[in-house]
Amino acid sequence: DPIASGMLKGALRKARTDGRTILISSHILVELEEFADDVAFLNDGQLRFAGPIEALLKETGTRRLEPAVAALLSGLKVV
């Protein structure tokens, strides 16, 4: 629902501007990339990464969150 999605994103932006911490659990990485400063990824019950998105991008040699997570989960660096 694009209307509800827009309302939720507006509320998240306001909370972020107000300095609040927001915890989001999602498989939609494009949306996480839009809102998150830090991310944590679990795979098979193990923490594979926790930290700033920029650190994950640097570690995996990628420029976007989705290929970075794919590289992290596959154990390969994607360029």
Side-chain angles (χ1 to χ4, degrees):
D1 177 1
I3 294 172
S5 177
M7 291 172 64
L8 175 61
K9 287 179 180 183
L12 291 173
R13 283 188 192 94
K14 181 171 182 346
R16 186 178 194 185
T17 300
D18 292 345
R20 295 183 184 192
T21 298
I22 304 163
L23 177 64
I24 301 172
S25 175
S26 178
H27 289 94
I28 304 171
L29 301 181
V30 172
E31 290 188 359
L32 288 180
E33 191 170 36
E34 182 179 349
F35 291 103
D37 297 314
D38 296 303
V39 294
F41 291 99
L42 298 171
N43 186 36
D44 290 331
Q46 295 185 0
L47 183 63
R48 297 293 303 266
F49 179 86
I53 288 178
E54 289 301 321
L56 177 59
L57 299 179
K58 185 176 181 180
E59 179 181 318
T60 58
T62 60
R63 290 185 267 169
R64 299 294 309 265
L65 188 57
E66 189 168 317
V69 172
L72 181 71
L73 295 179
S74 70
L76 303 174
K77 292 200 175 205
V78 177
V79 180

